[in-house]
Amino acid sequence: MKTDYNHAYNHAIAAHYAAYRPSLHSTILEKVLPEDPMFLKGLDVGCGTGYSTLALAKYCSNVIGIDPSQSMLDRATEYPNVKYVEGSGEEIPLPDDSIDIVTLAGSLFYINLNKAASEIRRVCRKEAVIIPYDFKIQLNETLALLGLDHQTTKKEYDHTVNFSGVDGFKEIVNKQDQINIECTGAQLAHLLLSDPNRYNRIAKKFETENPFRKLKESLIKSGNHFFVKANLFYSKYHLGEE
């Protein structure tokens, strides 16, 4: 049987990513923006299928979400004051001095920090708010139950990447928290299959390019009520002098 599932990755992973994401984006922004301020124009860098963009939309009159993956943008959720555009943090397709708040949800690790800082300074108005944040859902125990041990890559992902120490970014907040997430077997299966490395390993285990059904059935053998932990990482900056 053919075991190379790369051809199905982009659309399959985007589909699982869109099918279920816990509301951690909103949870984090509520911690960073507790006074419920309103901004004229927001930018969400690395928007994926729009979960982080919709979380930002609560605080803005208008929001633009950018992402380099057209597969993700094709599945992005429509919303009245939200627009999605193909782009990246290194090349933001927006004019100078046009943005009041920027969020980067789990995207800063994948782009050049200095280029992103330069582009954000270019597109933002004076005293704009910048919020890099991320979260890590602890799925190692679930993978172990499936007979799939945790694997590390050559360059281990860093959830804590932010703009601390970068010229022009004045740090206001830099914190880490942990919370519990409640989900069903189907939701947990979507979470597991929204990552390329996990998707590949699970697809090979169940010997199918579309392992969702078999994975869900395997999970709910032990019940259909799951709790997983999530580590939260978030920072807040104002553009200006240190």
Side-chain angles (χ1 to χ4, degrees):
M1 176 181 177
K2 183 178 180 181
T3 57
D4 180 5
Y5 304 102
N6 288 327
H7 180 71
Y9 272 2
N10 286 342
H11 292 291
I13 291 170
H16 290 295
Y17 193 96
Y20 173 69
R21 301 299 289 175
S23 59
L24 297 178
H25 302 92
S26 295
T27 297
I28 292 173
L29 291 186
E30 287 168 5
K31 291 176 179 288
V32 186
L33 301 168
E35 297 178 359
D36 195 25
M38 282 300 296
F39 300 90
L40 181 61
K41 196 165 186 178
L43 168 66
D44 183 36
V45 177
C47 66
T49 59
Y51 284 98
S52 53
T53 315
L54 297 187
L56 178 59
K58 174 184 175 182
Y59 303 93
C60 302
S61 297
N62 293 281
V63 176
I64 296 174
I66 64 171
D67 198 277
S69 171
Q70 191 59 49
S71 294
M72 289 289 186
L73 294 175
D74 288 343
R75 294 181 177 274
T77 304
E78 299 289 337
Y79 200 73
N81 65 331
V82 171
K83 179 181 179 181
Y84 298 104
V85 179
E86 189 172 353
S88 73
E90 297 171 353
E91 295 183 14
I92 300 174
L94 296 176
D96 297 357
D97 304 315
S98 60
I99 297 297
D100 300 293
I101 181 171
V102 179
T103 54
L104 304 97
S107 60
L108 196 52
F109 178 81
Y110 297 105
I111 55 182
N112 182 286
L113 185 64
N114 291 327
K115 289 183 178 180
S118 178
E119 275 291 84
I120 287 172
R121 287 193 295 263
R122 179 185 66 80
V123 302
C124 282
R125 297 187 177 104
K126 185 179 180 181
E127 296 297 318
V129 174
I130 317 300
I131 303 175
Y133 68 93
D134 203 353
F135 52 83
K136 181 180 182 180
I137 302 174
Q138 302 288 354
L139 296 170
N140 290 346
E141 290 185 7
T142 305
L143 289 171
L145 289 173
L146 294 168
L148 299 170
D149 294 332
H150 174 64
Q151 291 183 348
T152 58
T153 59
K154 292 181 179 180
K155 187 177 183 181
E156 183 71 7
Y157 182 87
D158 185 0
H159 296 269
T160 66
V161 175
N162 56 35
F163 290 110
S164 296
V166 176
D167 290 343
F169 289 75
K170 181 180 179 181
E171 186 173 285
I172 308 300
V173 174
N174 190 353
K175 291 187 177 181
Q176 297 183 21
D177 290 320
Q178 186 178 80
I179 63 173
N180 287 318
I181 301 170
E182 183 178 0
C183 56
T184 66
Q187 290 170 335
L188 184 54
H190 285 306
L191 283 177
L192 287 164
L193 293 172
S194 64
D195 174 82
N197 179 53
R198 291 195 302 263
Y199 189 101
N200 181 49
R201 295 165 63 201
I202 293 169
K204 288 181 178 179
K205 174 181 174 61
F206 291 107
E207 298 185 324
T208 173
E209 293 185 8
N210 300 293
F212 174 75
R213 181 180 60 81
K214 289 186 176 181
L215 174 59
K216 182 182 72 172
E217 291 173 352
S218 179
L219 289 170
I220 63 177
K221 286 179 180 178
S222 59
N224 197 32
H225 193 65
F226 300 88
F227 286 94
V228 293
K229 295 185 181 298
N231 296 332
L232 313 181
F233 311 84
Y234 51 95
S235 304
K236 178 181 178 182
Y237 304 86
H238 285 159
L239 284 189
E241 299 298 326
E242 294 289 347

